[in-house]
Coordinates of all heavy atoms in Angstrom, one line a residue:
E1383 N 2.0 5.2 0.5 CA 1.8 6.2 1.7 C 0.5 7.0 1.6 O -0.2 7.1 2.7 CB 3.0 7.2 1.7 CG 3.2 7.8 3.0 CD 3.4 6.8 4.2 OE1 3.9 5.5 4.0 OE2 3.4 7.2 5.4
L1384 N 0.1 7.4 0.3 CA -1.1 8.2 0.3 C -2.4 7.4 0.7 O -3.1 7.7 1.5 CB -1.2 8.7 -1.2 CG -2.5 9.5 -1.5 CD1 -2.4 10.8 -0.7 CD2 -2.6 9.7 -2.9
S1385 N -2.3 6.2 0.3 CA -3.5 5.2 0.5 C -3.5 4.9 2.2 O -4.5 4.8 2.8 CB -3.5 4.0 -0.3 OG -3.5 4.2 -1.5
R1386 N -2.3 4.7 2.7 CA -2.1 4.4 4.1 C -2.6 5.5 4.9 O -3.3 5.2 5.9 CB -0.7 4.1 4.3 CG -0.4 3.5 5.6 CD 1.0 2.9 5.7 NE 1.5 2.8 7.0 CZ 2.4 3.5 7.7 NH1 3.2 4.2 7.0 NH2 2.6 3.3 9.0
I1387 N -2.3 6.7 4.5 CA -2.6 7.8 5.3 C -4.3 8.1 5.3 O -4.9 8.2 6.2 CB -2.0 9.2 4.8 CG1 -0.6 9.1 5.3 CG2 -2.6 10.3 5.4 CD1 0.3 10.2 4.6
A1388 N -4.9 7.9 4.0 CA -6.2 8.0 3.9 C -7.0 7.0 4.7 O -7.9 7.2 5.3 CB -6.7 7.9 2.3
L1389 N -6.5 5.8 4.6 CA -7.0 4.7 5.5 C -7.1 5.1 6.9 O -8.0 4.8 7.6 CB -6.3 3.4 5.2 CG -6.8 2.2 5.8 CD1 -8.3 1.9 5.5 CD2 -5.9 0.9 5.7
A1390 N -5.9 5.5 7.4 CA -5.8 6.0 8.8 C -6.8 7.0 9.2 O -7.5 7.0 10.3 CB -4.5 6.4 9.1
L1391 N -7.0 7.9 8.4 CA -8.0 9.1 8.6 C -9.5 8.6 8.4 O -10.3 9.3 9.1 CB -7.7 10.2 7.6 CG -6.3 10.9 7.8 CD1 -6.3 12.0 6.8 CD2 -6.2 11.4 9.1
R1392 N -9.7 7.5 7.8 CA -11.1 7.0 7.8 C -11.6 6.5 9.1 O -12.9 6.4 9.4 CB -11.2 6.0 6.8 CG -11.2 6.4 5.3 CD -11.5 5.3 4.4 NE -11.5 6.0 3.0 CZ -10.3 5.9 2.1 NH1 -9.2 5.2 2.6 NH2 -10.4 6.4 1.0
G1393 N -10.7 6.4 10.1 CA -11.0 6.1 11.4 C -11.4 7.2 12.4 O -11.8 7.0 13.5
V1394 N -11.1 8.3 11.8 CA -11.4 9.6 12.6 C -12.9 9.8 12.7 O -13.5 9.9 11.7 CB -10.6 10.8 12.1 CG1 -11.0 12.1 12.8 CG2 -9.2 10.5 12.1
R1395 N -13.4 10.0 13.9 CA -14.9 10.3 14.2 C -14.9 11.7 14.9 O -14.8 11.7 16.1 CB -15.4 9.3 15.0 CG -17.0 9.3 15.2 CD -17.5 8.2 15.9 NE -18.8 8.6 16.3 CZ -19.8 7.8 16.1 NH1 -19.7 6.6 15.4 NH2 -21.1 8.1 16.3
P1396 N -15.1 12.7 14.0 CA -15.2 14.1 14.6 C -16.5 14.2 15.4 O -17.6 13.7 15.2 CB -15.2 15.1 13.4 CG -15.8 14.1 12.3 CD -15.3 12.8 12.6
D1397 N -16.4 15.1 16.4 CA -17.6 15.5 17.1 C -18.4 16.3 16.2 O -18.0 17.1 15.5 CB -17.1 16.2 18.4 CG -16.4 15.4 19.4 OD1 -16.5 14.3 19.4 OD2 -15.4 16.2 20.0
A1398 N -19.7 16.2 16.5 CA -20.6 17.1 15.6 C -20.4 18.5 15.7 O -20.5 19.3 14.6 CB -22.1 16.8 15.9
A1399 N -20.1 19.1 17.0 CA -19.9 20.4 17.1 C -18.5 20.9 17.5 O -18.2 21.8 18.2 CB -20.8 21.1 18.0
G1400 N -17.6 20.0 17.3 CA -16.1 20.0 17.7 C -15.4 21.2 17.0 O -15.8 21.8 16.1
L1401 N -14.4 21.7 17.8 CA -13.6 22.8 17.3 C -12.5 22.2 16.4 O -12.1 21.0 16.4 CB -12.9 23.4 18.5 CG -13.9 24.0 19.6 CD1 -13.0 24.4 20.6 CD2 -14.7 25.2 19.0
E1402 N -11.8 22.9 15.6 CA -10.9 22.6 14.7 C -9.6 21.9 15.4 O -9.0 21.0 15.0 CB -10.4 23.7 13.9 CG -9.3 23.4 12.8 CD -9.1 24.3 11.7 OE1 -10.0 25.4 11.5 OE2 -8.1 24.3 11.0
E1403 N -9.3 22.6 16.7 CA -8.2 22.0 17.5 C -8.5 20.6 17.8 O -7.6 19.7 17.8 CB -7.9 22.8 18.7 CG -7.6 24.3 18.6 CD -8.7 25.1 18.3 OE1 -9.8 24.9 18.9 OE2 -8.7 26.0 17.3
D1404 N -9.7 20.2 18.2 CA -10.2 18.9 18.6 C -10.0 18.0 17.3 O -9.5 16.8 17.5 CB -11.6 18.8 19.0 CG -11.7 19.6 20.3 OD1 -10.8 19.7 21.1 OD2 -12.9 20.1 20.6
L1405 N -10.3 18.4 16.2 CA -10.3 17.6 14.9 C -8.8 17.3 14.6 O -8.4 16.2 14.3 CB -11.0 18.2 13.7 CG -11.2 17.3 12.5 CD1 -11.7 16.1 12.9 CD2 -12.0 18.1 11.6
H1406 N -8.0 18.3 14.8 CA -6.5 18.1 14.6 C -5.9 17.2 15.6 O -5.1 16.3 15.1 CB -5.8 19.6 14.7 CG -5.8 20.4 13.4 ND1 -4.7 20.9 12.9 CD2 -6.9 20.8 12.7 CE1 -5.0 21.6 11.8 NE2 -6.3 21.5 11.7
R1407 N -6.4 17.3 16.8 CA -5.8 16.2 17.9 C -6.3 14.8 17.4 O -5.5 13.8 17.4 CB -6.4 16.5 19.2 CG -6.0 15.6 20.3 CD -6.7 15.9 21.6 NE -8.1 16.2 21.5 CZ -9.0 15.2 21.5 NH1 -8.7 14.0 21.3 NH2 -10.3 15.6 21.4
K1408 N -7.5 14.7 16.9 CA -8.0 13.3 16.6 C -7.3 12.9 15.2 O -6.9 11.6 15.2 CB -9.5 13.4 16.2 CG -10.3 13.4 17.5 CD -11.7 13.4 17.3 CE -12.4 13.5 18.6 NZ -13.8 13.2 18.6
V1409 N -7.0 13.7 14.4 CA -6.1 13.4 13.1 C -4.7 12.9 13.6 O -4.2 11.9 13.1 CB -6.1 14.4 12.1 CG1 -5.0 14.2 11.0 CG2 -7.5 14.6 11.5
A1410 N -4.2 13.6 14.5 CA -2.9 13.3 15.0 C -2.8 11.9 15.7 O -1.9 11.2 15.4 CB -2.3 14.5 16.0
E1411 N -3.8 11.7 16.6 CA -3.9 10.5 17.2 C -4.1 9.2 16.2 O -3.4 8.1 16.3 CB -5.1 10.3 18.1 CG -4.8 11.3 19.4 CD -6.2 11.6 20.2 OE1 -7.2 11.2 19.8 OE2 -6.0 12.2 21.2
A1412 N -4.8 9.5 15.0 CA -5.1 8.5 14.2 C -3.8 8.2 13.4 O -3.5 7.0 13.2 CB -6.2 8.9 13.1
L1413 N -3.1 9.2 13.0 CA -1.8 9.0 12.4 C -0.9 8.3 13.3 O -0.1 7.3 12.8 CB -1.3 10.3 11.9 CG -1.9 11.1 10.7 CD1 -1.5 12.4 10.6 CD2 -2.0 10.3 9.5
S1414 N -0.7 8.7 14.5 CA 0.1 8.0 15.5 C -0.1 6.5 15.6 O 0.7 5.6 15.6 CB 0.1 8.7 16.7 OG 0.7 9.9 16.7
R1415 N -1.5 6.3 15.8 CA -1.9 4.9 16.0 C -1.5 4.0 14.8 O -1.2 2.8 14.9 CB -3.4 4.7 16.1 CG -3.9 4.9 17.6 CD -5.3 4.5 17.8 NE -6.3 5.1 16.7 CZ -6.9 6.4 16.9 NH1 -6.6 7.2 18.0 NH2 -7.7 6.8 16.1
A1416 N -1.5 4.6 13.5 CA -1.3 3.9 12.3 C 0.3 3.7 12.1 O 0.8 3.3 11.1 CB -1.9 4.6 11.2
G1417 N 1.2 4.4 13.0 CA 2.5 4.3 12.9 C 3.1 5.3 11.9 O 4.1 5.1 11.4
I1418 N 2.2 6.4 11.6 CA 2.7 7.3 10.5 C 3.4 8.6 11.2 O 2.7 9.3 11.9 CB 1.6 7.7 9.7 CG1 1.0 6.5 8.9 CG2 1.9 8.9 8.7 CD1 -0.4 6.7 8.4
A1419 N 4.7 8.7 11.0 CA 5.3 9.9 11.5 C 4.8 11.2 10.7 O 4.6 11.1 9.5 CB 6.9 9.8 11.4
F1420 N 4.7 12.3 11.6 CA 4.3 13.4 10.9 C 4.7 14.9 11.6 O 5.2 14.7 12.8 CB 2.6 13.5 10.9 CG 2.1 13.5 12.2 CD1 1.8 14.7 12.8 CD2 1.9 12.2 12.8 CE1 1.4 14.7 14.2 CE2 1.3 12.3 14.1 CZ 1.0 13.5 14.7
L1421 N 4.6 15.9 10.9 CA 4.7 17.2 11.5 C 3.5 17.9 11.6 O 2.8 17.7 10.6 CB 5.7 17.9 10.6 CG 7.2 17.4 10.7 CD1 8.1 18.3 9.7 CD2 7.8 17.5 12.1
H1422 N 3.2 18.6 12.6 CA 1.8 19.4 12.5 C 2.2 20.8 12.2 O 3.2 21.3 12.6 CB 1.3 19.3 14.0 CG 0.0 19.8 14.1 ND1 -0.3 20.9 15.1 CD2 -1.2 19.7 13.4 CE1 -1.6 21.3 14.9 NE2 -2.1 20.6 13.9
E1423 N 1.3 21.4 11.4 CA 1.5 22.8 10.9 C 2.8 23.0 10.3 O 3.6 23.8 10.8 CB 1.2 23.8 12.1 CG -0.1 23.8 12.8 CD -1.3 24.4 11.8 OE1 -0.9 25.0 10.9 OE2 -2.4 24.1 12.1
A1424 N 3.2 22.3 9.3 CA 4.5 22.2 8.7 C 4.4 23.2 7.6 O 3.6 23.3 6.6 CB 4.7 20.9 8.0
R1425 N 5.5 24.1 7.6 CA 5.7 25.0 6.6 C 6.4 24.3 5.3 O 7.6 23.8 5.5 CB 6.7 26.2 7.0 CG 7.0 27.2 5.9 CD 7.9 28.2 6.6 NE 7.3 29.1 7.5 CZ 6.7 30.2 7.3 NH1 6.7 30.7 5.9 NH2 6.1 31.0 8.3
I1426 N 5.8 24.5 4.2 CA 6.3 23.7 3.0 C 7.0 24.6 1.9 O 7.5 24.3 1.2 CB 5.2 22.8 2.4 CG1 4.0 23.5 2.0 CG2 5.0 21.6 3.3 CD1 2.9 22.9 1.3
A1427 N 6.7 26.1 2.2 CA 7.2 27.0 1.4 C 6.9 28.4 2.0 O 5.9 28.4 2.8 CB 6.7 27.0 -0.1
P1428 N 7.6 29.4 1.6 CA 7.1 30.8 2.2 C 5.6 31.0 1.9 O 5.1 30.8 0.7 CB 8.0 31.8 1.4 CG 9.1 30.9 1.0 CD 8.6 29.5 0.9
G1429 N 4.8 31.2 2.8 CA 3.4 31.5 2.7 C 2.5 30.3 2.6 O 1.3 30.4 2.2
A1430 N 3.2 29.1 2.8 CA 2.4 27.8 2.6 C 2.7 27.0 3.7 O 3.8 26.5 3.9 CB 2.7 27.2 1.3
R1431 N 1.6 26.7 4.5 CA 1.7 25.9 5.8 C 0.5 24.8 5.6 O -0.6 25.1 5.6 CB 1.6 26.6 6.9 CG 1.8 25.9 8.2 CD 1.6 26.8 9.5 NE 2.2 28.0 9.4 CZ 3.3 28.4 10.0 NH1 3.9 27.5 10.8 NH2 3.9 29.6 9.9
V1432 N 0.9 23.5 5.6 CA -0.1 22.3 5.6 C -0.2 22.0 7.1 O 0.5 22.0 7.9 CB 0.4 21.4 4.5 CG1 1.5 20.6 5.2 CG2 -0.7 20.5 4.2
D1433 N -1.7 21.5 7.2 CA -1.9 21.2 8.6 C -1.0 20.0 9.1 O -0.5 20.1 10.2 CB -3.5 20.8 8.6 CG -4.4 21.8 8.5 OD1 -4.0 23.0 8.8 OD2 -5.5 21.6 7.9
F1434 N -0.8 19.1 8.2 CA 0.2 17.8 8.7 C 1.0 17.6 7.4 O 0.5 17.7 6.3 CB -0.6 16.6 9.0 CG -1.5 16.8 10.2 CD1 -2.8 17.3 10.3 CD2 -1.0 16.5 11.6 CE1 -3.6 17.5 11.4 CE2 -1.7 16.7 12.7 CZ -3.1 17.2 12.7
L1435 N 2.3 17.0 7.7 CA 3.1 16.6 6.7 C 3.6 15.3 7.1 O 4.3 15.1 8.2 CB 4.3 17.5 6.4 CG 5.3 17.2 5.5 CD1 4.6 17.2 4.1 CD2 6.4 18.3 5.4
A1436 N 3.3 14.3 6.3 CA 3.9 12.9 6.6 C 4.7 12.5 5.5 O 4.2 12.2 4.4 CB 2.7 11.9 6.8
G1437 N 6.1 12.5 5.7 CA 6.9 12.3 4.5 C 6.6 13.4 3.5 O 6.9 14.5 3.8
R1438 N 6.4 13.1 2.4 CA 6.1 14.1 1.3 C 4.5 14.2 1.0 O 4.3 14.7 0.0 CB 6.9 13.7 0.0 CG 8.3 13.7 0.2 CD 9.1 13.7 -1.1 NE 8.9 15.0 -1.8 CZ 8.4 14.9 -3.2 NH1 8.1 13.8 -3.8 NH2 8.2 16.1 -3.8
V1439 N 3.8 13.7 1.9 CA 2.4 13.8 1.8 C 1.7 14.9 2.8 O 2.0 14.8 3.9 CB 1.5 12.5 2.0 CG1 0.1 12.5 2.0 CG2 2.2 11.3 1.1
G1440 N 1.1 15.9 2.2 CA 0.5 16.9 2.9 C -0.9 16.3 3.4 O -1.6 15.7 2.5
I1441 N -1.3 16.8 4.6 CA -2.7 16.5 4.8 C -3.4 17.9 5.2 O -2.9 18.4 6.2 CB -2.7 15.5 6.1 CG1 -1.9 14.3 5.8 CG2 -4.1 15.2 6.6 CD1 -1.4 13.4 6.9
E1442 N -4.5 18.2 4.6 CA -5.2 19.2 4.9 C -6.6 19.0 5.6 O -7.2 18.1 5.0 CB -5.4 20.3 3.8 CG -6.0 21.5 4.0 CD -5.2 22.5 4.8 OE1 -3.9 22.3 4.9 OE2 -5.8 23.4 5.4
V1443 N -6.9 19.5 6.7 CA -8.0 19.1 7.5 C -9.0 20.4 7.5 O -8.5 21.5 7.9 CB -7.7 18.7 8.9 CG1 -9.0 18.4 9.7 CG2 -6.8 17.6 8.8
K1444 N -10.2 20.1 7.0 CA -11.1 21.2 6.9 C -12.3 21.0 7.9 O -13.1 19.8 7.8 CB -11.7 21.4 5.5 CG -10.7 21.9 4.7 CD -10.2 23.2 5.1 CE -9.2 23.8 3.9 NZ -8.6 25.0 4.6
C1445 N -12.5 21.7 9.0 CA -13.6 21.5 10.0 C -14.8 22.1 9.5 O -15.9 21.6 9.6 CB -13.1 22.3 11.3 SG -14.1 21.9 12.7
R1446 N -14.7 23.3 8.8 CA -16.0 23.9 8.2 C -16.1 23.5 6.8 O -15.1 23.3 6.1 CB -15.8 25.4 8.5 CG -15.9 25.8 10.0 CD -15.7 27.3 10.1 NE -15.5 27.7 11.6 CZ -14.4 27.7 12.0 NH1 -13.3 27.2 11.6 NH2 -14.3 27.9 13.3
H1447 N -17.3 23.7 6.3 CA -17.5 23.5 5.0 C -16.7 24.5 4.1 O -16.7 25.7 4.3 CB -19.0 23.7 4.5 CG -19.4 23.4 3.2 ND1 -19.3 22.2 2.6 CD2 -19.6 24.4 2.2 CE1 -19.6 22.4 1.2 NE2 -19.7 23.6 1.1
A1448 N -16.0 23.9 3.3 CA -15.2 24.7 2.2 C -15.6 24.5 0.8 O -15.8 23.3 0.5 CB -13.7 24.4 2.4
G1449 N -15.8 25.3 0.0 CA -16.3 25.2 -1.4 C -15.2 24.5 -2.2 O -14.0 24.6 -1.9
R1450 N -15.6 23.7 -3.1 CA -14.8 23.0 -4.0 C -13.8 23.9 -4.8 O -12.6 23.5 -4.7 CB -15.6 22.2 -5.0 CG -14.8 21.4 -6.0 CD -15.6 20.6 -7.0 NE -14.9 19.7 -7.9 CZ -14.0 19.9 -8.8 NH1 -13.9 21.2 -9.2 NH2 -13.4 19.0 -9.5
A1451 N -14.2 24.9 -5.2 CA -13.3 26.0 -5.9 C -12.0 26.4 -5.0 O -11.0 26.4 -5.4 CB -14.0 27.1 -6.6
A1452 N -12.4 26.7 -3.9 CA -11.5 27.2 -2.8 C -10.5 26.1 -2.4 O -9.3 26.3 -2.3 CB -12.2 27.7 -1.6
L1453 N -11.0 24.9 -2.3 CA -10.1 23.6 -2.0 C -9.3 23.3 -3.2 O -8.1 23.1 -2.9 CB -11.0 22.5 -1.6 CG -11.5 22.4 -0.1 CD1 -12.4 21.2 0.0 CD2 -10.4 22.5 0.8
V1454 N -9.7 23.4 -4.4 CA -8.9 23.3 -5.5 C -7.7 24.2 -5.6 O -6.7 24.0 -5.7 CB -9.6 23.1 -6.8 CG1 -8.8 23.2 -8.0 CG2 -10.5 22.0 -6.8
R1455 N -8.1 25.5 -5.3 CA -6.9 26.5 -5.3 C -6.0 26.4 -4.2 O -4.8 26.5 -4.6 CB -7.6 28.0 -5.2 CG -8.3 28.5 -6.6 CD -8.7 30.0 -6.2 NE -9.5 30.3 -5.2 CZ -10.9 30.2 -5.2 NH1 -11.5 29.8 -6.3 NH2 -11.6 30.5 -4.1
Q1456 N -6.4 26.0 -3.0 CA -5.5 25.7 -2.1 C -4.7 24.5 -2.3 O -3.4 24.5 -2.1 CB -6.3 25.4 -0.7 CG -5.4 25.4 0.5 CD -6.1 25.3 1.8 OE1 -7.3 25.0 1.7 NE2 -5.6 25.5 2.9
A1457 N -5.3 23.4 -2.8 CA -4.5 22.3 -3.3 C -3.4 22.7 -4.2 O -2.3 22.1 -4.3 CB -5.4 21.1 -3.7
Q1458 N -3.8 23.4 -5.2 CA -2.9 23.8 -6.3 C -1.7 24.5 -5.7 O -0.5 24.2 -6.0 CB -3.7 24.7 -7.4 CG -4.5 24.0 -8.2 CD -5.3 25.0 -9.1 OE1 -5.6 26.1 -8.8 NE2 -5.7 24.4 -10.3
K1459 N -2.0 25.5 -4.7 CA -0.8 26.3 -4.0 C 0.1 25.3 -3.4 O 1.3 25.3 -3.5 CB -1.5 27.1 -3.0 CG -0.5 27.8 -2.3 CD -1.3 28.9 -1.2 CE -0.2 29.5 -0.3 NZ -0.8 30.4 0.7
Y1460 N -0.5 24.3 -2.6 CA 0.3 23.3 -1.9 C 1.1 22.3 -2.9 O 2.3 22.2 -2.6 CB -0.6 22.6 -1.0 CG -1.0 23.2 0.2 CD1 -2.1 22.7 1.0 CD2 -0.6 24.5 0.6 CE1 -2.7 23.3 2.1 CE2 -1.1 25.2 1.8 CZ -2.1 24.7 2.6 OH -2.6 25.2 3.5
L1461 N 0.5 21.9 -3.8 CA 1.0 20.9 -4.7 C 2.1 21.5 -5.7 O 2.8 20.7 -6.3 CB 0.0 20.1 -5.4 CG -0.8 19.1 -4.4 CD1 -2.1 18.5 -5.0 CD2 0.3 18.0 -3.8
R1462 N 2.1 22.7 -5.9 CA 3.2 23.4 -6.6 C 4.5 23.4 -5.9 O 5.6 23.7 -6.3 CB 2.9 24.8 -7.0 CG 1.8 24.8 -8.0 CD 1.4 26.2 -8.6 NE 0.3 26.2 -9.5 CZ -0.8 26.9 -9.3 NH1 -0.9 27.7 -8.3 NH2 -1.7 26.8 -10.2
C1463 N 4.4 23.1 -4.4 CA 5.6 23.1 -3.7 C 6.4 21.9 -3.8 O 5.8 20.8 -3.9 CB 5.2 23.2 -2.2 SG 4.3 24.8 -1.7
E1464 N 7.7 22.1 -4.0 CA 8.6 20.9 -4.0 C 8.4 20.0 -2.9 O 8.7 18.7 -3.0 CB 10.0 21.3 -4.2 CG 10.3 22.1 -5.6 CD 10.2 21.2 -6.7 OE1 10.5 20.0 -6.7 OE2 9.6 21.6 -7.8
A1465 N 8.2 20.4 -1.8 CA 8.1 19.5 -0.6 C 6.9 18.5 -0.6 O 7.1 17.4 0.1 CB 7.8 20.4 0.6
L1466 N 6.0 18.7 -1.3 CA 4.9 17.7 -1.5 C 4.9 16.9 -2.7 O 5.0 17.3 -3.8 CB 3.5 18.5 -1.4 CG 3.2 19.1 0.0 CD1 1.7 19.6 -0.1 CD2 3.4 18.3 1.0
G1467 N 4.6 15.7 -2.5 CA 4.4 14.7 -3.7 C 3.0 14.2 -3.9 O 2.6 13.7 -4.8
A1468 N 2.3 14.5 -2.8 CA 0.7 14.3 -2.8 C 0.0 14.9 -1.7 O 0.6 15.5 -0.7 CB 0.7 12.6 -2.6
L1469 N -1.2 14.9 -1.7 CA -2.2 15.6 -0.8 C -3.3 14.8 -0.4 O -3.9 14.2 -1.3 CB -2.5 17.1 -1.3 CG -3.4 17.8 -0.4 CD1 -2.6 18.4 0.8 CD2 -3.9 19.1 -1.2
V1470 N -3.6 14.8 0.9 CA -4.8 14.1 1.3 C -5.6 15.4 1.9 O -5.1 16.1 2.8 CB -4.7 13.2 2.5 CG1 -6.1 12.7 3.1 CG2 -3.9 12.0 2.0
V1471 N -7.0 15.4 1.5 CA -7.8 16.6 2.0 C -9.0 15.8 2.8 O -9.6 15.0 2.2 CB -8.5 17.4 1.0 CG1 -9.4 18.4 1.5 CG2 -7.3 18.0 0.1
A1472 N -9.0 16.1 4.2 CA -10.0 15.4 5.0 C -11.0 16.6 5.4 O -10.7 17.6 6.0 CB -9.3 14.8 6.3
T1473 N -12.3 16.4 5.1 CA -13.3 17.3 5.3 C -14.4 16.8 6.1 O -14.6 15.5 6.0 CB -13.9 18.0 4.1 OG1 -14.5 16.9 3.3 CG2 -12.8 18.5 3.2
R1474 N -15.2 17.5 6.9 CA -16.4 17.2 7.5 C -17.4 16.7 6.5 O -18.1 15.7 6.7 CB -16.9 18.2 8.5 CG -16.4 18.2 9.6 CD -17.2 19.2 10.6 NE -16.6 19.5 11.9 CZ -16.7 18.6 12.9 NH1 -17.5 17.6 12.8 NH2 -16.1 18.9 13.9
S1475 N -17.6 17.5 5.5 CA -18.5 17.2 4.5 C -17.8 16.8 3.2 O -16.6 17.2 3.0 CB -19.5 18.5 4.1 OG -18.5 19.5 3.9
G1476 N -18.4 15.9 2.5 CA -17.7 15.5 1.3 C -17.4 16.6 0.2 O -18.2 17.4 0.1
V1477 N -16.4 16.4 -0.5 CA -16.1 17.2 -1.6 C -15.4 16.4 -2.6 O -14.6 15.5 -2.4 CB -15.3 18.3 -1.2 CG1 -13.9 18.0 -0.6 CG2 -15.1 19.4 -2.3
D1478 N -15.8 16.6 -3.9 CA -15.2 15.8 -4.9 C -14.1 16.6 -5.6 O -14.3 17.6 -6.4 CB -16.2 15.5 -5.9 CG -15.8 14.6 -7.1 OD1 -14.9 13.8 -6.9 OD2 -16.2 14.8 -8.3
L1479 N -12.8 16.3 -5.3 CA -11.6 16.9 -5.8 C -11.1 16.0 -7.0 O -11.2 14.8 -6.9 CB -10.5 17.2 -4.9 CG -11.0 18.1 -3.6 CD1 -9.8 18.2 -2.7 CD2 -11.3 19.5 -4.3
P1480 N -10.4 16.8 -7.9 CA -9.7 15.9 -9.0 C -8.8 15.0 -8.4 O -8.3 15.1 -7.4 CB -9.0 16.9 -9.8 CG -9.6 18.2 -9.5 CD -10.1 18.1 -8.1
R1481 N -8.6 13.7 -9.0 CA -7.5 12.7 -8.4 C -6.1 13.1 -8.5 O -5.2 12.7 -7.9 CB -7.8 11.5 -9.0 CG -9.2 10.8 -8.8 CD -9.5 9.5 -9.4 NE -8.5 8.5 -8.9 CZ -8.7 7.8 -7.8 NH1 -9.8 8.0 -7.0 NH2 -7.9 6.8 -7.5
H1482 N -5.9 14.1 -9.4 CA -4.5 14.7 -9.6 C -4.7 16.2 -9.7 O -5.5 16.7 -10.5 CB -3.9 14.1 -10.9 CG -3.4 12.7 -10.7 ND1 -4.2 11.8 -10.8 CD2 -2.2 12.2 -10.3 CE1 -3.6 10.6 -10.7 NE2 -2.4 10.9 -10.3

Side-chain angles (χ1 to χ4, degrees):
E1383 197 66 9
L1384 181 66
S1385 299
R1386 191 167 161 239
I1387 291 167
L1389 181 63
L1391 296 183
R1392 285 188 182 97
V1394 173
R1395 184 181 171 124
D1397 300 325
L1401 302 172
E1402 187 163 343
E1403 299 84 37
D1404 294 333
L1405 190 51
H1406 277 229
R1407 181 183 46 77
K1408 288 182 179 201
V1409 167
E1411 290 169 355
L1413 294 171
S1414 293
R1415 274 193 308 275
I1418 299 168
F1420 64 89
L1421 297 173
H1422 186 234
E1423 298 291 341
R1425 179 181 291 266
I1426 54 175
R1431 184 185 315 255
V1432 69
D1433 291 331
F1434 295 88
L1435 180 63
R1438 294 195 65 234
V1439 179
I1441 304 162
E1442 186 62 22
V1443 179
K1444 293 297 182 191
C1445 190
R1446 292 178 190 84
H1447 178 71
R1450 182 182 189 277
L1453 282 176
V1454 168
R1455 282 191 303 275
Q1456 187 174 20
Q1458 287 171 334
K1459 175 182 175 181
Y1460 289 164
L1461 289 167
R1462 286 187 187 120
C1463 298
E1464 291 294 321
L1466 292 190
L1469 182 68
V1470 176
V1471 179
T1473 64
R1474 274 190 187 275
S1475 57
V1477 62
D1478 184 31
L1479 296 178
R1481 297 182 59 90
H1482 288 84

